[in-house]
Amino acid sequence: MTESGGADADALAGRFAQMFAALAQNVERVVRGKREKVELALVCLLSEGHLLVEDVPGVGKTTLARAMSASVEAEWARIQFTPDLLPSDITGVSIFNQGTGAFEFHPGPIFANLAVADEINRGSPKTQSALLEVMEERRVTVDGTPHPVPRPFMVIATQNPVDMDGTYPLPEAQLDRFLMRISMGYPDHQAEVALLAGAPTGALLDRLPPVMGRDDLARMIDFAQRLHVAAPLYDYVVRVVAATRDHPDLRLGASPRASVALLRAARVRAAAAGRSYLVPEDVKALAVPVIAHRLIVTPEAELRGRGGADVVGEVLASVPTPQAAGV
């Protein structure tokens, strides 16, 4: 995929859509009956964002990450967060080499294309903060020396929303660095029957063939972020995000980082649909997974059973949608 415009851009968008579908189909060979969640995760990957999966154990969170990394010939690493985990266990450490008489940096598991932070809320706040720099700046600083992580780079963090004993809730600054939050959910009846009747998931993962290389993925990322965006859509994204800042049911609305994340994800969704331009539906389809987890609902609204997703839905209904002629 190379930069171009007009009819060439449409052709490249069509090629992007084919490659995106091939990725999704490959991941679905082991993550069955979850096409929507798989596509959201791939949108997150191609937006160079990070994903928070909030769900109970055993629904395929780690399997999703492994299948994604296998599909693009990427390296993956799993970090099990526990209260005694140290920041250096994630980032790596400098060790003195007696032979050379100098300190050598030994990278930690975060230096992977897809890093799975399993049960992230079980790590202490000090350990959680070890991810802040790398999630934003794609580098780790150890002993004053920056070390860049490979591209593509994505953190897929998981947390169990039910068993909260001995956990440390993620602070707002950490949540804001996740481009999306999704829930895998239980498979439907047919998908679970197919899972039981098929081969063991581990064996399938070991045989899962890659459908593209990391260079192909990098070109897809670059192409998606060059997609045309009409001026009314920039205005629409800002209006949607800004509407959360004055909403009476919220103590904290979405930051400008949410606007950037929503636009990046919408560009990928448009390209995945074979279009070289955005439409308002791209923004609407991704608003809840991109914005809802960044919001803090007031205690009064919480008592009424309202959450961030409810507020985002209300905002989408209240903000005027740009007309097709303006887009």
Side-chain angles (χ1 to χ4, degrees):
M1 289 186 170
T2 57
E3 187 170 2
S4 187
D8 288 342
D10 292 337
L12 289 172
R15 174 61 178 155
F16 184 105
Q18 292 175 358
M19 297 171 72
F20 185 91
L23 273 175
Q25 290 168 6
N26 206 50
V27 173
E28 272 199 306
R29 294 176 63 181
V30 290
V31 183
R32 303 185 181 183
K34 296 294 176 185
R35 180 68 179 223
E36 180 187 357
K37 308 303 182 183
V38 168
E39 289 184 349
L40 283 175
L42 291 176
V43 166
C44 199
L45 173 65
L46 290 163
S47 303
E48 293 192 289
H50 308 292
L51 181 65
L52 177 61
V53 186
E54 191 175 84
D55 219 322
V56 297
V59 293
K61 300 184 294 289
T62 304
T63 301
L64 173 64
R66 288 187 62 188
M68 288 169 60
S69 63
S71 298
V72 295
E73 290 186 330
E75 295 181 7
W76 82 285
R78 181 177 177 271
I79 308 167
Q80 180 63 56
F81 276 66
T82 56
D84 60 347
L85 190 72
L86 299 175
S88 58
D89 295 329
I90 299 172
T91 60
V93 64
S94 295
I95 299 176
F96 185 75
N97 187 324
Q98 292 184 343
T100 61
F103 282 93
E104 295 180 353
F105 177 66
H106 290 247
I110 198 63
F111 286 86
N113 298 113
L114 276 79
V116 181
D118 207 7
E119 295 188 283
I120 188 173
N121 55 337
R122 293 199 178 279
S124 68
K126 181 178 181 179
T127 303
Q128 291 177 8
S129 67
L131 293 173
L132 290 175
E133 179 189 16
V134 70
M135 290 176 68
E136 182 68 18
E137 302 179 27
R138 265 64 177 180
R139 69 179 186 182
V140 171
T141 301
V142 177
D143 296 332
T145 303
H147 304 275
V149 294
R151 188 188 186 199
F153 173 71
M154 180 182 186
V155 172
I156 301 180
T158 72
Q159 61 179 6
N160 183 350
V162 178
D163 183 12
M164 302 299 291
D165 292 339
T167 63
Y168 303 88
L170 297 179
E172 288 74 27
Q174 185 93 44
L175 286 171
D176 203 33
R177 280 167 167 76
F178 287 100
L179 188 140
M180 289 186 194
R181 180 181 65 182
I182 65 172
S183 175
M184 293 292 290
Y186 291 113
D188 58 33
H189 180 78
Q190 291 183 342
E192 194 161 359
V193 168
L195 177 65
L196 295 178
T201 301
L204 282 174
L205 276 170
D206 293 338
R207 300 195 306 268
L208 196 65
V211 296
M212 69 178 66
R214 277 174 284 188
D215 291 341
D216 296 321
L217 189 67
R219 285 191 286 269
M220 290 179 71
I221 291 170
D222 291 338
F223 171 76
Q225 298 314 315
R226 295 196 306 268
L227 254 60
H228 172 70
V229 180
L233 279 176
Y234 285 118
D235 181 74
Y236 180 60
V237 170
V238 173
R239 286 181 182 275
V240 167
V241 174
T244 66
R245 299 168 192 164
D246 302 319
H247 199 283
D249 286 343
L250 296 179
R251 287 195 296 120
L252 179 68
S255 70
R257 185 184 280 133
S259 303
V260 175
L262 184 55
L263 184 64
R264 290 184 69 88
R267 277 184 156 124
V268 174
R269 185 182 186 274
R275 286 183 275 104
S276 59
Y277 56 90
L278 266 69
V279 295
E281 285 67 28
D282 295 320
V283 177
K284 290 182 177 182
L286 297 171
V288 170
V290 171
I291 298 176
H293 66 284
R294 307 171 193 266
L295 310 177
I296 299 181
V297 180
T298 63
E300 296 79 12
E302 253 186 313
L303 287 174
R304 299 199 307 271
R306 289 175 61 77
D310 300 311
V311 173
V312 174
E314 190 174 293
V315 164
L316 290 174
S318 64
V319 176
T321 303
Q323 298 302 312
V327 177

